Amino acid sequence: MAPTTCCVCNASTTKTSAECHAAHYCSKTCQKNDWKTHKVLCKGFEALQRRPSSNHLLGIFLPEDESSPKLVWVKFKESTGLQELEKKTFLGDSVVSSITITRNERRGFDLKDEVVIYYNDNFLIDGLDGEAHGDVTLSDFRHGIDFLLIYGKEEKLYPAGDNSRTGTSLGIRVSRAAGTHDPPLYRLESTRVPFDNLVFRELVAPVSALFEFPLQARTIYDDRVPPIRPLTHSPVAFLYCNVDAESAAFGSLIETFSSYGDDVLVVREDGEDLDPMSLAALCTFAKDQLSSRLAGVTFSNDLERAITLMSIARGNWEQYFENYRHTATPDGLIRGLYGVLE
């Protein structure tokens, strides 16, 4: 069996649940952790009828008038190379919306396969694989439940001057400023962030790690439902320049979900306070000295890449930061990556 990942902790594994084989776990501990959710549908696989046809995929249906979810076969038809699910059987004639889940925020890792929730007053969860639908698994069910558990949950941020809040540190909220600017301008505002905020589960931005100043960033969404594609790139995106000398994408911006959007929260991984000047300087340095000088440049080998990277980073940063302190705009605004994308 090809390696996949544990649906609880994301560790690599080839083990499946013994009875239904519909969920992957790396250990007995993770399997026990998931049992309360898993057992809801595990026995359903034994009673599941055979696939009606090759044009049916397995889904999970949460009926409005029943207390438990159930496994269902969902018919589909081919449409422009994709499988178009016939959702009317389950969700009726009303308008059907959907939410695509690409990351388990509750557990802090990206998903190998997307999970889609289709809904009006009901929910239909179905696993996705690339651009085509696939049979749902109980690993998908785990991720769907985790999404619903934090859906609509308010991530509290407190005023920077509220020193009475324990278990917090100062982070920076990087928000798009009012007005029509191209590239857009972003305002940096200090805010007090609880240590249980999901931003502390994000991956460290590569450029910040290069300077031993590890930062974590996460896009803030007012309605907690991520858009399909944010309109603009935050200046924080520059911290996600690929600085891996052995990577074919060296010098390009990493397509990470967390670094995009018009409203981004940034914190220090070590939990220490982050000041706006340091963040602004690091973002602009990554843009001026790293991203712009590395993107599109052809290097003969990995060693040449590494030497170039070190000479730019270590040789120029201290002087750059000192100059930035004296030339930064008094209103605390910094520019984003691109103008509005149509």
Side-chain angles (χ1 to χ4, degrees):
M1 180 182 294
T4 184
T5 55
C6 175
C7 65
V8 174
C9 72
N10 204 40
S12 179
T13 184
T14 58
K15 301 175 183 178
T16 62
S17 51
E19 292 191 26
C20 66
H21 302 288
H24 290 85
Y25 304 106
C26 65
S27 65
K28 290 289 186 181
T29 299
C30 283
Q31 186 173 11
K32 183 178 180 181
N33 181 284
D34 187 44
W35 177 241
K36 287 185 178 180
T37 298
H38 182 93
K39 68 180 181 180
V40 174
L41 286 169
C42 183
K43 294 293 184 181
F45 279 85
E46 294 182 7
L48 188 65
Q49 296 181 351
R50 294 179 60 183
R51 190 186 304 272
S53 75
S54 59
N55 280 13
H56 283 79
L57 295 170
L58 189 61
I60 298 173
F61 182 46
L62 282 72
E64 182 180 14
D65 54 356
E66 297 182 25
S67 60
S68 299
K70 57 184 180 181
L71 297 168
V72 294
W73 290 112
V74 186
K75 191 175 182 179
F76 70 87
K77 60 182 179 180
E78 296 289 342
S79 176
T80 62
L82 300 177
Q83 291 113 346
E84 183 178 329
L85 298 175
E86 295 186 1
K87 301 178 281 291
K88 182 178 178 180
T89 304
F90 303 96
L91 302 180
D93 294 320
S94 59
V95 176
V96 175
S97 300
S98 66
I99 298 173
T100 300
I101 307 170
T102 61
R103 178 175 174 80
N104 190 321
E105 294 282 14
R106 188 166 179 251
R107 300 180 186 275
F109 56 81
D110 295 327
L111 303 185
K112 179 181 178 181
D113 298 315
E114 296 176 340
V115 177
V116 177
I117 298 177
Y118 297 101
Y119 65 94
N120 47 29
D121 290 333
N122 304 320
F123 290 86
L124 172 66
I125 303 178
D126 177 64
L128 281 183
D129 185 5
E131 294 186 340
H133 292 78
D135 286 337
V136 75
T137 68
L138 292 193
S139 292
D140 297 327
F141 188 50
R142 169 74 274 161
H143 302 317
I145 293 298
D146 283 336
F147 175 84
L148 295 175
L149 285 172
I150 65 170
Y151 179 78
K153 179 183 177 182
E154 181 183 3
E155 292 187 52
K156 292 184 178 179
L157 301 175
Y158 302 102
D162 188 355
N163 297 320
S164 65
R165 299 287 179 179
T166 58
T168 65
S169 69
L170 285 179
I172 306 297
R173 189 165 184 166
V174 184
S175 306
R176 188 173 179 179
T180 56
H181 307 280
D182 192 8
L185 292 174
Y186 286 79
R187 187 177 303 280
L188 280 64
E189 179 184 6
S190 293
T191 185
R192 196 158 288 282
V193 186
F195 290 135
D196 62 356
N197 189 288
L198 292 174
V199 68
F200 285 103
R201 298 185 185 183
E202 296 290 347
L203 297 176
V204 172
V207 172
S208 68
L210 185 67
F211 294 99
E212 299 181 354
F213 185 53
L215 302 177
Q216 296 163 290
R218 182 171 182 273
T219 306
I220 299 173
Y221 298 103
D222 292 335
D223 56 6
R224 301 288 297 127
V225 180
I228 295 176
R229 180 73 178 177
L231 291 178
T232 58
H233 293 299
S234 164
V236 178
F238 291 114
L239 301 183
Y240 288 84
C241 177
N242 189 321
V243 292
D244 180 2
E246 297 180 358
S247 171
F250 177 74
S252 62
L253 292 181
I254 299 173
E255 289 288 333
T256 175
F257 180 76
S258 298
S259 64
Y260 295 106
D262 286 339
D263 199 357
V264 178
L265 181 64
V266 186
V267 296
R268 287 182 53 153
E269 184 195 31
D270 58 12
E272 296 295 320
D273 292 343
L274 175 63
D275 68 277
M277 180 68 73
S278 297
L279 177 61
L282 190 58
C283 287
T284 52
F285 180 83
K287 170 190 172 184
D288 297 339
Q289 302 295 316
L290 286 177
S291 182
S292 62
R293 292 178 60 180
L294 298 182
V297 177
T298 301
F299 296 90
S300 59
N301 53 57
D302 294 346
L303 179 59
E304 184 178 327
R305 289 178 171 180
I307 293 175
T308 301
L309 180 64
M310 291 301 102
S311 65
I312 294 174
R314 294 179 178 174
N316 297 343
W317 165 244
E318 291 186 5
Q319 185 60 50
Y320 185 94
F321 182 64
E322 186 62 27
N323 293 339
Y324 188 89
R325 291 176 56 194
H326 296 94
T327 59
T329 57
D331 55 12
L333 296 175
I334 56 176
R335 291 196 177 277
L337 178 52
Y338 305 121
V340 176
L341 301 178
E342 297 298 337

